[in-house]
Amino acid sequence: MSDKPVTFTIDGVEITAKAGQTILQAADDAGIYIPRLCYHPSLPPGGHCRLCTVKINGRPASSCTFPADEGLVVENDTEELNDHRRRIVEMLFVEGNHYCPTCEHSGNCELQAMAYRLGLLAPTLPYFRCERELDASHKDVYVDRDRCILCGRCARASREVDHKVVFGFEGRGVHKRISVDAPHNLGETNLAAADKAAEVCPTGCIMLKRKGFAIPVGQRKYDHEPIGSEIERSRSAK
Amino acid sequence: MAEAHSTLVKEVVEQFGADRSRLMDIARALHGKLGHLSEDIIGEIADALGIHRVEVRDMVSFYAFLSRSPKGKTTIRLCNAVVERMNGADEIAQAFEEALGIRFGETTPDGAISLEYTPCMGMSDQPPSALVNGVPITGIRKADVPAIIDAIKKGGAVQSLPVAEIELNLRQSGPVIFAPMDRGAAVRRAVDMTPDEIIATMNTARLRGRGGAGFPLAMKWDFCRKAEGDAHYIICNADEGEPGTFKDRVILTEQPDLVFEGMTVAAFVIGAREGFLYLRAEYEYLLPHLEQVLARRRRLGLLGENICGREGFNFDIRIQLGAGAYICGEESALIESLEGKRGAPRDRPPFPVQKGYRNQPSSVNNVETLCCAARIMEKGAEWFSSIGTRDSTGAKLLSVSGDCERPGVYEVPYGATVATVLNMVGAEDAAAVQVGGPSGQCLAPRNFGRSISFEDIPTGGSFIVFGPQRNILESMHQFIEFFVEESCGWCVPCRVGAKHLDIIFRKILDGKGTRADYQQLEQVCMTVKTMSRCGLGQTAANPILTTMRNFPELYDALLQSDDFIPSFDLDKAIKEGCEITGRTPALEEHHV
Ligand SMILES: Cc1cc2nc3c(=O)[nH]c(=O)nc-3n(C[C@H](O)[C@H](O)[C@H](O)COP(=O)(O)O)c2cc1C
């Protein structure tokens, strides 16, 4: 990690990163959008989704974890990388059970929005049709694991921001799941509805109860413009 | 009961200094005593360590050898690796199932015996093999099964059965690893030099890592030594999980002193006071032997304080056992595991030489690499670099298994061709060779002129021979299943993508694949390879990609000319419904 500003290029555009920034952070500041799902600006990076993979001097690496450095040549918006990204989003759709038309988060969902942005029309990979547990035991928050993409944001938010460790992982490989810090279920944890962990879920997995459809479908965040537009806007404004 | 357990948990946690980073040892010890780690015990461990229950569960649920549900008093883990299955493991499995009246994954009703599968346990030269409560048995024949069960039922004395004899199968010894050694010579030589001189020596020898990546040792030690930190660590990677390799097991059996010698030289160079040997759980049976060797080295002043009389050179080694996870051979996952966590690899940078164990500079080296380093201290850089080729100096240990007359360990100078090795091992009729294990490449006869070397075919040492009678692609599919099992699940392309490789490849093998399926398979391969976080995912598609390149005719023979064949199986999908309703619908006209 560099302790002074550095200059490097993304897709031929020269940008300057502040000391200590990752490639993704520097790109955000410069108004260049690198697709991502598990990254969240108020949390340390997780490196789970791999959507933010770029080629750095020709080698693939996740831009959310890779420190910006002087003279790096970064490729981001290429057909090859976008193909891989689309396929990863497709993998997430068929790994879980995602029912967009009936999901409360539709229109605010980053997974759905990413699929639209990358032009994923319909999955062609086989569905896993796995069984996943729903946890509605908490008075204010529910966890619908069908929609979990294992981005780990809730776990990082709980640890780093709420200082609680309500969420963690369990199992390995395709059996990996989000797990809660209690013998049985979420209702036994000290999670509060106002916690960061209850707010950062990119999909409809961790949701607040009694908040359904406050904004009608059609008027939600990604109903108006593609995900990433807010970052790209700052560039066109320059 | 619950209270007794609570006392036991406290005792065990105290025994490991209530140190969170020793969670692996704590979990292993309690698992050994209780047979499994229930949710209650997980909670007790968390309380005793002052950490969160979800952190303990996160770790425990990751490792194949730690169970959260009750198991039999004895667990038989039959190895179902590719070479084992080529040598009758499926028949042995059936014999166990029939004799015990249970299926794999189940426990006998009296709670005596559980049957489980385990991936390659480092015995491919003497298949089929199994672990009986951690004790390896090898060369199992169908006729041995009753005696094995009998011994278990009579109190677990499988050690005395003929199948408990482990063959060394050291077929070709060479000057580098297995030549007689002068204990302590390398360390004595090291303390007479400066760390810079030793690094320069390794540089002259052009020694490259034997664990797979081939990183120059001199550079790794130099980076580590120069990285700032409160402490520096040397870690010996004895996880040896790549299916088909077992050479580190033979080194640890025959030449453990040479390994510890290499670690001690490394400690002197990088300034480590503490070192670890991460030993895969499958090799737990070697632990008493290794502890004895360490104790002797302490007595001889080769470990401990002021080593070899060198004032202030203090260093010791602890052996850390794993718990059944191939990914823990990946160096950053190994470090996480060593810290008592799930074996999830880290993103790099930072590299372990910058931030490794406890975020301090750490050098992770393969068992064989460390032996080479010790030998170079003993015999000199020129001697070492005179063996092998210009870019690949020294010799490589190969673990040879599969369809050959003389499976075992061979020390081969770098540059030897695949054909030379095949001659050596008695496999002139080989139809294919898997070099480097599932993560390596599958070679066809027209590739046999290529050489074992960093510049041509790099390998950690696994060398699996397939005879003309084998269905090569079926074995490749088993390799993919191995990656699905062993993917840590951290990142999407590996966790989900490997499973898709399994499904689409299976469809093709079942004769239901079209050109479109082939194309999709290729695309998923590339996504898994390009986008995965660590070496496991980056190489998981290799069994498919290298056979697509080297054996295109095998795919051509399987692919159908139809535009589309559904993977959806209608009969299977309606089976449950038919059973419930007790009738089958007349569907003939819908069948495809
Ligand atoms: C999935 C995976 C498994 C690995 N398993 C081993 C292993 O069992 N032993 C080993 O020495 N290296 C293994 N490696 C390579 C290590 O990450 C690392 O490169 C090596 O230990 C460095 O030692 P060396 O420089 O002496 O080769 C593995 C890598 C990956 C990606």
Side-chain angles (χ1 to χ4, degrees), chain B residues 49-87:
Chain B
L49 282 173
I51 62 174
H52 292 266
R53 166 193 292 272
V54 73
E55 296 172 282
V56 178
R57 191 191 298 137
D58 181 73
M59 180 272 177
V60 167
S61 63
F62 185 80
Y63 294 97
F65 285 15
L66 300 177
S67 171
R68 289 188 289 162
S69 53
K71 292 281 160 191
K73 253 187 93 187
T74 300
T75 297
I76 301 175
R77 291 180 203 282
L78 182 71
C79 182
N80 64 352
V82 161
V83 178
E84 311 270 336
R85 294 185 65 179
M86 282 158 59
N87 286 278

Side-chain angles (χ1 to χ4, degrees), chain B residues 209-211 220 237 239-241 326 329-331 364-366 369 535:
Chain B
R210 272 33 178 172
K220 195 182 273 191
N237 188 342
D239 196 53
E240 190 162 59
Y326 164 65
E330 194 284 332
E331 56 185 8
V364 182
N365 296 112
N366 175 255
T369 313

Side-chain angles (χ1 to χ4, degrees), chain B residues 215-465:
Chain B
F215 199 79
L217 182 78
M219 255 165 94
K220 195 182 273 191
W221 284 3
D222 201 36
F223 283 147
C224 184
R225 176 174 127 76
K226 293 193 175 136
E228 273 175 47
D230 304 329
H232 289 65
Y233 297 99
I234 168 73
I235 300 166
C236 174
N237 188 342
D239 196 53
E240 190 162 59
E242 190 70 35
T245 100
F246 44 85
K247 49 101 186 166
D248 290 342
R249 163 174 63 76
V250 175
I251 296 179
L252 292 168
T253 308
E254 283 296 282
Q255 291 283 51
D257 264 304
L258 197 61
V259 183
F260 297 137
E261 200 101 338
M263 288 180 76
T264 313
V265 172
F268 182 73
V269 172
I270 66 173
R273 299 176 58 99
E274 218 181 335
F276 303 95
L277 181 129
Y278 188 96
L279 185 67
R280 67 185 307 212
E282 292 81 349
Y283 294 171
E284 186 176 4
Y285 76 101
L286 290 172
L287 187 63
H289 165 62
L290 294 173
E291 291 288 6
Q292 267 173 18
V293 175
L294 284 177
R296 184 170 58 203
R297 293 184 71 83
R298 289 185 193 110
R299 278 200 307 279
L300 294 173
L302 295 170
L303 282 177
E305 311 266 293
N306 305 322
I307 292 170
C308 290
R310 170 76 179 227
E311 194 74 21
F313 178 25
N314 307 330
F315 173 67
D316 214 324
I317 296 169
R318 176 165 81 73
I319 299 174
Q320 174 68 59
L321 274 162
Y326 164 65
I327 188 60
C328 289
E330 194 284 332
E331 56 185 8
S332 63
L334 183 154
I335 289 169
E336 288 283 307
S337 183
L338 198 56
E339 292 177 354
K341 299 185 238 158
R342 70 163 46 224
R346 297 173 178 174
D347 268 298
R348 276 140 292 187
F351 291 91
V353 287
Q354 304 160 301
K355 282 182 194 288
Y357 180 63
R358 293 181 187 268
N359 277 329
Q360 302 303 319
S362 310
S363 177
V364 182
N365 296 112
N366 175 255
V367 173
E368 188 182 347
T369 313
L370 290 163
C371 288
C372 292
R375 275 297 185 218
I376 292 167
M377 294 308 293
E378 207 182 315
K379 298 193 180 175
E382 281 72 27
W383 164 81
F384 188 82
S385 60
S386 71
I387 307 167
T389 72
R390 209 188 66 86
D391 292 320
S392 312
T393 53
K396 182 78 196 79
L397 291 188
L398 296 180
S399 310
V400 180
S401 66
D403 297 316
C404 63
E405 278 164 39
R406 295 173 294 279
V409 171
Y410 292 76
E411 184 175 311
V412 178
Y414 272 116
T417 63
V418 172
T420 313
V421 178
L422 287 171
N423 263 319
M424 219 182 301
V425 306
E428 290 80 358
D429 64 343
V433 183
Q434 185 77 23
V435 186
S439 71
Q441 35 189 322
C442 187
L443 302 177
R446 67 192 151 77
N447 314 119
F448 290 173
R450 296 180 60 185
S451 75
I452 306 290
S453 59
F454 293 107
E455 58 272 26
D456 193 0
I457 306 177
T459 170
S462 174
F463 192 100
I464 302 173
V465 184

Side-chain angles (χ1 to χ4, degrees), chain A residues 46 48 50 60 62 84 87 94-95 124 126 128 159 164 169-174 176 179-182, chain B residues 52-55 57-58 61-62 68 324 342 347 485-488 490-492 495 499-500 520 527 531:
Chain A
H48 295 278
R50 312 316 281 183
S62 53
H84 290 313
R87 200 161 295 113
V94 300
E95 180 193 31
T124 56
F128 286 5
R159 178 183 293 277
K164 281 187 178 179
F169 293 117
E170 125 177 57
R172 87 173 179 210
V174 284
K176 194 170 174 224
S179 189
V180 299
D181 189 39
Chain B
H52 292 266
R53 166 193 292 272
V54 73
E55 296 172 282
R57 191 191 298 137
D58 181 73
S61 63
F62 185 80
R68 289 188 289 162
R342 70 163 46 224
D347 268 298
E485 271 300 306
E486 297 299 327
S487 166
C488 83
W490 190 274
C491 79
V492 185
R495 179 183 74 232
K499 184 70 195 164
H500 278 123
Q520 187 177 48
T527 298
M531 306 298 269

Side-chain angles (χ1 to χ4, degrees), chain B residues 470-488:
Chain B
R470 301 294 176 187
N471 185 333
I472 293 161
L473 294 189
E474 279 297 338
S475 291
M476 297 301 126
H477 184 257
Q478 289 168 18
F479 286 151
I480 299 292
E481 288 178 319
F482 165 77
F483 287 124
V484 172
E485 271 300 306
E486 297 299 327
S487 166
C488 83

